[in-house]
Amino acid sequence: MAKLKIFNDPVHGFIEVGEPILLSLIDHPYLQRLRRIRQLAFTSWVYPGAVHTRFNHVLGAMHLTRTALETLRNKGIKLTDSEFEATLIAILLHDLGHPPFSHALERVLLPHFHHEELSKALIQNLNNHYFNQELTLALQIFSKQYSRPFLHQLVSSQLDMDRMDYLMRDSFFTGVSEGIVGTERIIKTLTVVNEQLVVEEKGIYSVEKFIIARRLMYWQVYLHKAVLASEKMLVNMVRRAKEIFLQNKPIWTNESLSFFFLLPQNQRIELTDEVLAHYTALDDEDILYAIKQWQHHPDRILSELANRLLNRRLLKLRFQNHPITPTEIAGLQAKFAQKNNLAPNLADFFVFAGEASNLAYLNSDEEPILILTKSGSLTNIATASDISNIEALAKKVVKYYICMPE
């Protein structure tokens, strides 16, 4: 009998995994590393329960994908066992490339790479060195290179199992009820037309709720002003630590952190086995330990940022509807530098401006959410919806912010 493993998940209940290759992947260090990477970085500074990990999330996303694939099979969509298993592998591995603290350190250690590119490289690495090319079909599905696009759309699209799980999971652990969506109903109304994933018309209201929930979660959770401030503080702290390291001044780092500090920042490097080995050696615990060491560093900027972040004395971030002018930010930086006896060029570690944007639904012809009407035609959700909100949500909302001490 095949071995069956059961994960007791607080969001989905019992998640059963029996496929040997999935169990082997779950046990691999690349997957186990995700236990040590928080899904929402420093969001627990605002919502104390938000300490769940990427490992929780990928298991949940895989569970939803299995349910979706079984639903499609029950509707007569032909799926080979290889396609079924490969799609589960693709969603299980889709977050391998996240850096420590997830999106907070995106493009910081490797500035020219998005985490999805790193996930692809790590899947390829697993395929070449550990799984004897058994992941080739999963890699094709993940990379959108397989002949059946709907399999990739289950993994990555505007209505994928990744988004469905993280909305439910992040809502559960933060306690923000606006993120609750009817995933079961959406999944049960999925079907395939011309190899494209579509939603039957009876599922349209659940999809509308999904899009609205995504918008609300972005402003209430992912782009909450205290969450954004803490993430920017972390980025500035790592930037300062790197400057000190490159000046050959004493500073605590480990081997992998030193490796990335030494990499050239102005060019895209090759993702060699060495780069991937150092990348997967780092997780939240390495960065947290570094921060605890840096709080005692003689450099005022580094130690102040570390102390503030560890003790939740965050910089204050204020949103506004218009951009902060260069003159305005320069004046605030000069005032801060003078008050704290700092060189003017160092004030931007504490006083800075930026923008945050939210696009709940991308209304484009490239990959819209399609509704299958009772007459058999396919219609974009923005057109099919009988509420004007969806078209409004298809417009990018940009908010400008300024961040500085109290």
Side-chain angles (χ1 to χ4, degrees):
M1 291 182 62
K3 178 183 177 183
L4 180 67
K5 191 162 187 176
I6 298 175
F7 298 89
N8 193 350
D9 181 66
V11 177
H12 303 302
F14 294 119
I15 296 175
E16 297 183 350
V17 184
E19 295 86 348
I21 192 168
L22 290 176
L23 291 172
S24 296
L25 284 165
I26 289 170
D27 287 338
H28 192 276
Y30 285 0
L31 258 295
Q32 291 299 310
R33 169 182 175 264
L34 298 185
R35 291 182 184 271
R36 303 185 299 277
I37 296 183
R38 287 189 185 182
Q39 172 91 349
L40 296 180
F42 288 103
T43 303
S44 61
W45 264 225
V46 180
Y47 302 102
V51 293
H52 53 300
T53 68
R54 289 278 155 186
F55 184 79
N56 307 142
H57 164 59
V58 296
L59 289 181
M62 181 182 66
H63 171 74
L64 292 180
T65 303
R66 185 188 296 276
T67 304
L69 290 170
E70 289 171 349
T71 297
L72 295 177
R73 265 187 170 173
N74 291 336
K75 292 183 179 182
I77 308 302
K78 300 296 183 183
L79 277 169
T80 67
D81 290 344
S82 296
E83 289 171 333
F84 192 103
E85 186 176 80
T87 308
L88 294 180
I89 292 171
I91 193 74
L92 178 67
L93 304 181
H94 80 279
D95 269 354
L96 287 185
H98 270 290
F101 289 104
S102 295
H103 295 287
L105 289 181
E106 186 93 22
R107 298 186 185 275
V108 173
L109 299 176
L110 287 169
H112 303 282
F113 293 93
H114 188 268
H115 76 266
E116 288 184 359
E117 294 179 86
L118 290 157
S119 292
K120 180 179 177 181
L122 288 167
I123 298 171
Q124 186 69 69
N125 184 273
L126 286 170
N127 199 33
N128 292 341
H129 299 306
Y130 300 98
F131 286 87
N132 194 30
Q133 304 303 312
E134 293 178 83
L135 309 183
T136 299
L137 180 54
L139 187 61
Q140 291 173 348
I141 291 170
F142 178 86
S143 306
K144 204 177 178 180
Q145 295 174 342
Y146 189 56
S147 58
R148 310 191 74 184
F150 76 92
L151 295 176
H152 172 79
Q153 289 167 343
L154 287 171
V155 177
S156 180
S157 67
Q158 295 202 78
L159 195 65
D160 58 32
M161 301 304 108
D162 172 28
R163 293 185 184 190
M164 286 195 202
D165 181 81
Y166 77 60
L167 282 176
M168 287 185 70
R169 191 167 302 278
D170 297 346
S171 174
F172 180 90
F173 282 99
T174 59
V176 178
S177 60
E178 284 80 0
I180 298 174
V181 293
T183 56
E184 186 175 358
R185 180 164 180 80
I186 293 174
I187 289 173
K188 293 302 181 184
T189 58
L190 291 176
T191 190
V192 175
V193 176
N194 299 327
E195 297 296 324
Q196 299 291 322
L197 193 68
V198 302
V199 182
E200 295 165 351
E201 188 173 353
K202 59 187 176 183
I204 189 170
Y205 299 117
S206 297
V207 176
E208 289 173 352
K209 173 70 163 55
F210 168 83
I211 295 172
I212 294 168
R214 190 163 179 265
R215 177 188 182 277
L216 294 175
M217 285 292 286
Y218 262 84
W219 290 121
Q220 286 190 240
V221 177
Y222 310 131
L223 296 176
H224 186 286
K225 58 184 181 180
V227 172
L228 197 55
S230 62
E231 292 181 355
K232 298 302 179 184
M233 289 172 68
L234 176 63
V235 171
N236 284 352
M237 195 187 320
V238 173
R239 175 164 66 99
R240 183 58 176 173
K242 181 178 178 178
E243 289 179 359
I244 295 168
F245 178 85
L246 293 178
Q247 292 168 5
N248 292 319
K249 295 179 180 177
I251 184 172
W252 186 91
T253 62
N254 62 20
E255 181 183 356
S256 294
L257 205 51
S258 299
F259 177 84
F260 288 108
F261 282 173
L262 288 168
L263 284 181
Q265 298 296 292
N266 57 353
Q267 64 186 54
R268 186 180 170 96
I269 64 167
E270 184 183 352
L271 294 177
T272 62
D273 289 348
E274 182 186 22
V275 172
L276 295 177
H278 281 294
Y279 191 81
T280 53
L282 290 174
D283 54 50
D284 290 12
E285 294 178 15
D286 297 285
I287 303 301
L288 275 175
Y289 185 79
I291 296 171
K292 291 173 74 174
Q293 299 302 307
W294 295 342
Q295 69 177 322
H296 306 298
H297 197 276
D299 182 79
R300 286 175 57 199
I301 294 170
L302 186 64
S303 60
E304 175 70 10
L305 286 171
N307 268 289
R308 279 179 169 272
L309 195 55
L310 284 175
N311 297 298
R312 205 195 174 282
R313 291 188 298 110
L314 305 179
L315 301 178
K316 298 298 180 182
L317 187 143
R318 186 183 76 242
F319 281 118
Q320 59 186 53
N321 293 324
H322 56 84
I324 292 87
T325 66
T327 302
E328 182 182 1
I329 195 67
L332 290 169
Q333 288 173 346
K335 192 178 294 185
F336 177 83
Q338 183 179 21
K339 181 178 178 181
N340 292 276
N341 195 27
L342 272 180
N345 65 314
L346 297 179
D348 68 341
F349 283 98
F350 296 96
V351 181
F352 51 88
E355 64 179 54
S357 63
N358 177 12
L359 180 62
Y361 176 62
L362 178 59
N363 187 11
S364 73
D365 295 331
E366 185 176 340
E367 201 169 85
I369 296 176
L370 293 174
I371 303 298
L372 177 63
T373 66
K374 292 175 182 177
S375 65
S377 63
L378 294 176
T379 310
N380 189 321
I381 179 69
T383 305
S385 174
D386 59 7
I387 57 175
S388 58
N389 287 357
I390 302 302
E391 284 200 50
L393 293 174
K395 298 175 182 176
K396 180 185 280 191
V397 178
V398 179
K399 292 185 179 181
Y400 304 93
Y401 65 80
I402 185 164
C403 194
M404 57 192 298
E406 302 87 339

